Amino acid sequence: MRTRTIRAWSWVHKWSSLISTVFLLMLCITGLPLVFTHEIEEVLLHQQWEPARSDGSKLNLDQVLEVALSRHPGDVAAFMSFDEERPVVNVTSVDPKGPAGVYNFQPIDQTSGEAAPPVAGHPVMEFLLQLHTHMFLGLPGMLFLGAMGLFLIAALVSGVVLYAPFMRRLPFGTVRASKAARTRWLDYHNLLGAVTLAWVLVVGVTGVVNTLATPIIAFWKDTALKELTAAYDAPVAAGERASLDAAVKRAQAALPGMRLQFVAFPGSDYSTDHHYAVFFHGDTPLTMHMTTPALIDARTGDLAAVAPMPWYVKTLSLSQPLHFGDYGGLGLKILWALLDIAMIVILISGLYLWLAKRKKTS
Amino acid sequence: MSRKDLGFRAIFDAPIILFALSLTGLIGALLEDGLWDGLGAALLGTPLLVLAWALIRRRR
């Protein structure tokens, strides 16, 4: 490789890394406990709980919704989701006059309507998650971190290119441990980078895709769902909506064999102003992460459409497990953690190498 | 230094193989359950084994 080419790639590697390192470090450090969110919350939120009734009688979904909204007068329903292991329905509602993005989340015992203890959403984990996804800055924060992810990808590509001239006289894996600190850490940096590349690239690219979740979902609503709303001008008042319970049953009949995941209410992020969007997922490993909504007209309760997701929403759906590492049991999570630690060492050694080089040249 | 430079394959063969193994593990565990959960983790674990090997056996 010619000296000028090497210099250009060094420039790309240096600046893409310098700009993003502090944010990538924050992402790696907060990501480490987040990998184990489920396990940590199981410990932190552990509480003995039994449903109030065990005779199998349950409230219907309209009753659950009514109970939930009566506890937060003035709220409107946004989402309803369903626990897999407990007869618990989770209602997420929002005060339309309150600050944006502030939701009330209530797990409700479907056998009695009483509040059930939460199994997710511990404040510490929520804090870490928000720091990790948007640094408490909402959409701009998310997009900013997406941009940092693009810098990471540039640093990876330039790192691969620069690996060749650095390694042209060293057999793979060489660590010159007896040499000066700068040489030693250069070898660690190169070795760690070379062996972890695939994982870092996958987590980096899927992280960038995940930062685009809001625009991706908004685009989907504006295009794929648009024609469904053409017939209506104003949304129907919440009190005049068709039965939610019947809507979910209608949707289940339209998608037999699929598993109910959640309901997005009219006017929420994942639906139109005029429909209940009832989301299902499959039960094979691949389709587990793929959702398909059935849209039920909130006025009439009729099935308006089954809307399989377009490729860009499917890409987003697959990017989530590949970023979180939560799809292959505890073994995969432990690897996620170890590789994450390797990434932290790469970031810090890179920073050190830059500082050491500056000191030497000045 | 008078030694001859290593060629592309000598430099990149090992990283490319690790890249392919990791990627197979990452995607395999996503597409299939059961056996693949363990196999996927094993494949994704190869970089760490190679790392341990290099840190022990390639120290100079």
Side-chain angles (χ1 to χ4, degrees):
Chain A
M1 214 181 294
R2 284 166 48 193
T3 317
R4 258 180 55 198
T5 321
I6 295 177
R7 229 178 248 158
W9 281 107
S10 298
W11 185 88
V12 173
H13 195 65
K14 178 171 91 176
W15 284 105
S16 56
S17 306
L18 278 179
I19 293 165
S20 59
T21 289
V22 64
F23 297 100
L24 295 175
L25 263 177
M26 177 279 284
L27 292 171
C28 286
I29 292 166
T30 52
L32 197 54
L34 284 173
V35 170
F36 300 104
T37 300
H38 182 75
E39 287 74 10
I40 294 171
E41 290 192 323
E42 229 164 43
V43 174
L44 293 179
L45 296 169
H46 181 75
Q47 210 170 327
Q48 212 60 43
W49 183 79
E50 292 289 331
R53 286 186 213 161
S54 53
D55 58 2
S57 62
K58 281 183 184 176
L59 304 182
N60 71 38
L61 299 181
D62 292 289
Q63 293 170 313
V64 172
L65 181 64
E66 198 185 322
V67 168
L69 292 181
S70 72
R71 293 191 185 127
H72 285 281
D75 271 20
V76 295
F79 306 106
M80 180 180 270
S81 64
F82 309 90
D83 278 16
E84 294 198 341
E85 285 150 23
R86 319 185 291 175
V88 168
V89 174
N90 303 291
V91 177
T92 306
S93 60
V94 63
D95 179 357
K97 296 189 194 87
V102 178
Y103 290 94
N104 291 310
F105 181 81
Q106 303 180 68
I108 291 171
D109 180 351
Q110 203 182 349
T111 71
S112 66
E114 282 156 31
V119 291
H122 189 275
V124 173
M125 300 314 288
E126 282 299 304
F127 174 86
L128 289 173
L129 182 64
Q130 296 199 19
L131 185 57
H132 188 90
T133 47
H134 54 66
M135 306 185 292
F136 309 98
L137 297 172
L139 182 60
M142 257 169 112
L143 296 175
F144 177 83
L145 289 176
M148 294 304 112
L150 293 179
F151 281 117
L152 167 66
I153 294 165
L156 292 176
V157 172
S158 54
V160 169
V161 175
L162 290 171
Y163 185 74
F166 276 108
M167 297 301 291
R168 69 194 162 157
R169 287 188 184 128
L170 294 170
F172 172 76
T174 304
V175 177
R176 291 167 290 179
S178 50
K179 290 274 172 66
R182 214 160 73 83
T183 310
R184 188 166 69 235
W185 280 101
L186 177 65
D187 287 351
Y188 288 139
H189 187 81
N190 286 339
L191 173 60
L192 281 167
V195 302
T196 59
L197 180 67
W199 181 82
V200 176
L201 193 61
V202 166
V203 172
V205 170
T206 54
V208 171
V209 174
N210 289 337
T211 64
L212 300 175
T214 307
I216 286 174
I217 295 301
F219 181 78
W220 168 70
K221 270 178 66 173
D222 288 348
T223 53
L225 297 187
K226 187 151 184 135
E227 54 191 88
L228 292 177
T229 65
Y232 301 119
D233 325 316
V236 60
E240 289 159 29
R241 284 179 193 160
S243 156
L244 170 67
D245 202 70
V248 170
K249 290 204 171 88
R250 181 73 197 82
Q252 277 171 320
L255 289 165
M258 292 190 77
R259 280 202 257 171
L260 178 61
Q261 189 174 16
F262 72 100
V263 179
F265 284 86
S268 69
D269 286 347
Y270 285 77
S271 189
T272 74
D273 287 346
H274 311 281
H275 298 87
Y276 294 116
V278 187
F279 283 77
F280 294 86
H281 63 88
D283 50 9
T284 67
L286 183 62
T287 56
M288 182 92 92
H289 305 287
M290 298 287 192
T291 54
T292 305
L295 287 123
I296 306 292
D297 192 311
R299 278 187 176 77
T300 62
D302 293 335
L303 178 72
V306 171
M309 290 297 197
W311 66 269
Y312 50 87
V313 179
K314 285 187 175 147
T315 306
L316 176 65
S317 301
L318 281 185
S319 288
Q320 288 167 349
L322 280 170
H323 189 77
F324 306 153
D326 59 354
Y327 59 93
L330 189 60
L332 201 65
K333 290 184 180 187
I334 291 170
L335 283 170
W336 235 253
L338 293 172
L339 290 161
D340 185 77
I341 292 168
M343 180 67 192
I344 293 174
V345 177
I346 297 174
L347 289 167
I348 293 176
S349 59
L351 202 58
Y352 163 77
L353 289 167
W354 171 70
L355 286 170
K357 192 177 174 192
R358 275 190 70 194
K359 215 169 142 191
K360 198 183 154 204
T361 47
S362 68
Chain B
M1 247 189 247
S2 61
R3 263 188 302 163
K4 208 169 163 275
D5 284 2
L6 297 171
F8 178 88
R9 296 208 44 186
I11 296 173
F12 282 107
D13 269 4
I16 287 171
I17 291 168
L18 288 173
F19 189 93
L21 290 176
S22 307
L23 209 57
T24 310
L26 278 167
I27 294 170
L30 184 65
L31 300 185
E32 294 290 336
D33 258 353
L35 177 68
W36 262 103
D37 277 350
L39 191 59
L43 289 173
L44 186 61
T46 50
L48 295 170
L49 291 180
V50 170
L51 176 67
W53 164 82
L55 290 177
I56 297 164
R57 305 302 298 269
R58 285 283 167 97
R59 272 188 116 74
R60 288 211 210 138

